[in-house]
Amino acid sequence: MARQPSADGRVGLVRARFSRRDRARGASVTALPRRADVVVIGGGIVGVCAALALRERGLSVTLCEKGRVAGEQSSRNWGWVRTQGRDPRELPLMLAALRDWERLAQQVDCDIGFRRAGATYLCETEAQLAQRAAWMPHARAFGLPTRMLSAAETDALLGRDDRRFKGAQHTATDAMAEPSLAVPALARLAAAQGAQIVETCAVRTLDRVAGRV
Ligand SMILES: Cc1cc2nc3c(=O)[nH]c(=O)nc-3n(C[C@H](O)[C@H](O)[C@H](O)COP(=O)(O)OP(=O)(O)OC[C@H]3O[C@@H](n4cnc5c(N)ncnc54)[C@H](O)[C@@H]3O)c2cc1C
């Protein structure tokens, strides 16, 4: 059983992946359909979101996963959905991703821990502060609410008063989700919208006939 995330978005005991109950509900199929407009290989966050996006555009989709949905890296990462500190060329994509996460978090069948809890980079030295401050023009260019915090503001944010940190960089609109809940929930959403999700199905080769796979 999954314990729902707490207010800060963290969870304790979580359901690791697409569960046996999901399979019993028909979210995962065992037989391959005869045809599909698109076959997605891999049931991590990328494959699952690709399947979902394709279904939203009306294409028939089969997703083949060699193990279990969210059985690899996509259920083990830190869960950041972050603009702060990124290469500015990534920022348009990250802003779109934040909007997508917000929308999808409303559509899935459980709390996936999506929270705009903010991202904070703590700085212990003046050099670290200067490095973070150098990124601020990018934040301004994209209208992000990123701020440099003083030592006192950082302590207040963290609920401490030892002035260990010289300051911090903080972007209140950055978010996180709980990976081990989010990917299975998005897979269930894709399945509910008609995607065929086939687990324990490794793709070993691509057969091409008359230019088609
Ligand atoms: C320590 C760490 C922290 C991270 N923190 C963050 C973070 O905070 N925020 C963030 O956005 N990203 C983070 N990432 C990156 C993120 O985890 C990955 O970018 C993401 O999980 C990649 O997703 P994926 O679907 O491409 O890959 P995977 O999750 O690896 O999924 C690929 C799937 O394809 C399947 N597969 C492979 N070959 C076949 C085949 N031939 N047939 C069928 N199935 C196949 C695999 O079994 C697997 O399930 C972090 C990564 C690391 C290592």
Side-chain angles (χ1 to χ4, degrees):
M1 285 299 289
R3 193 191 304 159
Q4 292 300 307
S6 58
D8 67 0
R10 289 281 167 204
V11 289
L13 181 65
V14 297
R15 183 172 52 201
R17 48 188 76 115
F18 220 44
S19 70
R20 202 171 293 152
R21 193 176 56 135
D22 296 331
R23 288 177 199 108
R25 286 189 299 186
S28 169
V29 298
T30 49
L32 281 171
R34 289 191 62 77
R35 56 162 289 122
D37 293 327
V38 181
V39 176
V40 175
I41 303 171
I45 186 67
V46 172
V48 164
C49 287
L52 192 53
L54 289 161
R55 279 307 301 146
E56 286 173 347
R57 285 157 182 75
L59 294 165
S60 64
V61 182
T62 297
L63 184 154
C64 299
E65 164 52 51
K66 70 176 166 58
R68 298 299 187 194
V69 164
E72 303 277 337
Q73 182 56 32
S74 293
S75 58
R76 300 177 194 146
N77 63 52
W78 293 329
W80 289 94
V81 188
R82 167 182 62 79
T83 57
Q84 182 168 281
R86 285 196 178 273
D87 187 306
R89 290 168 292 190
E90 297 174 338
L91 288 174
L93 188 60
M94 282 316 301
L95 288 166
L98 277 162
R99 287 193 294 274
D100 275 351
W101 275 101
E102 194 117 53
R103 174 177 63 84
L104 292 168
Q106 301 299 316
Q107 293 179 18
V108 290
D109 60 9
C110 68
D111 186 345
I112 57 173
F114 180 78
R115 304 279 186 277
R116 294 255 193 183
T120 308
Y121 289 164
L122 302 170
C123 302
E124 289 183 299
T125 66
E126 295 294 344
Q128 288 173 345
L129 266 181
Q131 185 192 0
R132 295 295 170 202
W135 189 81
M136 291 302 287
H138 301 309
R140 283 191 285 275
F142 283 87
L144 297 173
T146 308
R147 294 172 52 219
M148 296 303 297
L149 305 184
S150 67
E153 288 172 317
T154 303
D155 274 357
L157 183 73
L158 299 178
R160 57 196 294 160
D161 59 7
D162 59 3
R163 295 294 190 270
R164 173 179 163 194
F165 299 104
K166 301 270 184 218
Q169 186 174 55
H170 180 72
T171 302
T173 45
D174 277 350
M176 61 165 298
E178 178 51 51
S180 62
L181 292 175
V183 185
L186 291 167
R188 289 194 298 275
L189 182 61
Q193 296 187 4
Q196 305 283 301
I197 296 181
V198 191
E199 294 183 300
T200 60
C201 177
V203 175
R204 301 285 185 209
T205 187
L206 297 178
D207 287 333
R208 293 188 189 84
V209 177
R212 299 173 71 90
V213 176

